[in-house]
Amino acid sequence: MAPFISLYACPRLDPQMPDSDGIITHLAALPLFSTLSASELNRIAVSARKIQSLKGEILFHKGDPCHGFYLIVSGKVKLLFNSLGGSEKVIEILMPGQSFGESAMFMDQPYPLSAQALSDASFIYITKASVLQALESNAQLARQLITRLSSSLHQLFQNQEFNGMRSGKQRIVDYILRQMTPAAALSAVPIVILPASKGTIASHLNITAEHFSRILHELVEHELITVYGKKIEILDLAQLRAVLDSQGEREHAQAAPCRLVETTPAAHASRT
């Protein structure tokens, strides 16, 4: 998953340009548009529009025509496809500040995946025509676009390699650690909030929901974490990181059985 990108007010904005919906401000915060001038941002914003969606709403289906891409302002989105058997495969879980749909837009292809809101969400929809117009007058934008798409492809290859060579436990631990903010990592008991249901995350990591729950239970038994719904408290960050290397995996496999840590707030309070 790409890191969270904070939204901020960009000093390149022209205070004389109306921005009642905040569209220009959000476009300026998108790394792809970092080289655009205020007037170029304004031209893209003119044809952009804000979209609101409810939790569970489908933004587009696989195979729908693609005439633009989305920037997430608030909420969360999952990209997915359904197998022939009807099961859902989650490819990515996206957060505010991230965008999606660019590759299909520039390839003149339908959307290769479906997109569904994981929560109430808001987006800015950016049209293909406005981006193409900006590309004609800004060579740096073209270079940044190539870099972004190449980076996304490289990340996809890395994810496939990681998932193919690591165990289910290592994939889950890696995912948990990637959700941890730098500030949380400095606290005595880092807290991670999962961005989606365990079933959705399990699909993203290419494991079953049952396997996901079983591994979380094992990590709880070894007193590495406690789990309260989507909230995970990391009790031993060093040992959790050790799971990511093969030696750490063997050490945990050979460890003597530990008592089960209760994961109710009352039980946790009794231990502190």
Side-chain angles (χ1 to χ4, degrees), residues 80-93:
L80 68 142
F81 66 84
N82 293 308
S83 68
L84 294 177
S87 61
E88 179 181 287
K89 169 58 182 172
V90 178
I91 302 302
E92 190 58 274
I93 300 171

Side-chain angles (χ1 to χ4, degrees), residues 118-137:
L118 286 170
S119 63
D120 292 351
S122 62
F123 311 89
I124 294 175
Y125 180 76
I126 304 159
T127 65
K128 176 181 178 179
S130 64
V131 177
L132 289 180
Q133 184 180 32
L135 284 171
E136 290 179 356
S137 59

Side-chain angles (χ1 to χ4, degrees), residues 7-254:
L7 300 178
Y8 56 89
C10 180
R12 291 180 292 115
L13 299 183
D14 186 341
Q16 302 302 316
M17 292 184 176
D19 191 24
S20 58
D21 290 332
I23 290 179
I24 298 178
T25 301
H26 291 300
L27 293 180
L30 193 62
L32 176 62
F33 294 150
S34 63
T35 63
L36 296 184
S37 66
S39 60
E40 288 173 321
L41 284 170
N42 188 61
R43 283 197 292 271
I44 292 177
V46 166
S47 61
R49 65 180 187 272
K50 274 195 169 181
I51 297 175
Q52 304 287 333
S53 69
L54 300 176
K55 179 180 179 180
E57 186 174 342
I58 299 293
L59 297 169
F60 53 78
H61 290 92
K62 177 181 178 181
D64 285 349
C66 177
H67 303 297
F69 71 98
Y70 294 77
L71 169 63
I72 305 174
V73 175
S74 65
K76 296 168 287 188
V77 173
K78 63 179 176 181
L79 303 181
L80 68 142
F81 66 84
N82 293 308
S83 68
L84 294 177
S87 61
E88 179 181 287
K89 169 58 182 172
V90 178
I91 302 302
E92 190 58 274
I93 300 171
L94 303 174
M95 307 293 285
Q98 293 183 270
S99 58
F100 57 98
E102 300 98 314
S103 58
M105 181 183 75
F106 285 106
M107 291 173 64
D108 283 324
Q109 295 292 320
Y111 289 112
L113 301 166
S114 299
Q116 183 178 23
L118 286 170
S119 63
D120 292 351
S122 62
F123 311 89
I124 294 175
Y125 180 76
I126 304 159
T127 65
K128 176 181 178 179
S130 64
V131 177
L132 289 180
Q133 184 180 32
L135 284 171
E136 290 179 356
S137 59
N138 192 312
Q140 182 61 27
L141 175 60
R143 287 191 289 270
Q144 289 193 191
L145 178 62
I146 292 172
T147 299
R148 173 178 172 78
L149 296 179
S150 299
S151 177
S152 296
L153 184 60
H154 181 67
Q155 185 64 52
L156 176 62
F157 290 154
Q158 284 188 320
N159 290 343
Q160 291 297 318
E161 180 181 16
F162 183 88
N163 290 338
M165 298 180 65
R166 298 298 182 99
S167 67
K169 179 190 290 188
Q170 289 172 317
R171 278 177 268 164
I172 290 173
V173 168
D174 175 70
Y175 187 83
I176 291 172
L177 293 177
R178 284 191 285 116
Q179 307 312 305
M180 184 171 55
T181 65
L186 297 176
S187 64
V189 181
I191 293 175
V192 167
I193 305 298
L194 298 179
S197 69
K198 295 181 181 69
T200 296
I201 295 171
S203 176
H204 173 51
L205 298 178
N206 202 29
I207 59 178
T208 66
E210 293 78 10
H211 192 189
F212 187 91
S213 295
R214 187 163 59 250
I215 290 173
L216 285 184
H217 186 75
E218 180 182 340
L219 295 174
V220 168
E221 284 186 323
H222 288 292
E223 299 191 8
L224 300 185
I225 64 172
T226 56
V227 181
Y228 310 116
K230 291 183 179 179
K231 177 182 174 181
I232 294 179
E233 292 183 350
I234 299 176
L235 305 180
D236 194 330
L237 182 57
Q239 286 301 309
L240 196 64
R241 285 171 170 160
V243 174
L244 292 180
D245 68 77
S246 57
Q247 180 62 33
E249 187 81 345
R250 287 194 294 272
E251 289 171 357
H252 283 290
Q254 296 167 0

Side-chain angles (χ1 to χ4, degrees), residues 255-267:
C258 297
R259 63 182 178 83
L260 175 63
V261 177
E262 295 290 342
T263 56
T264 62

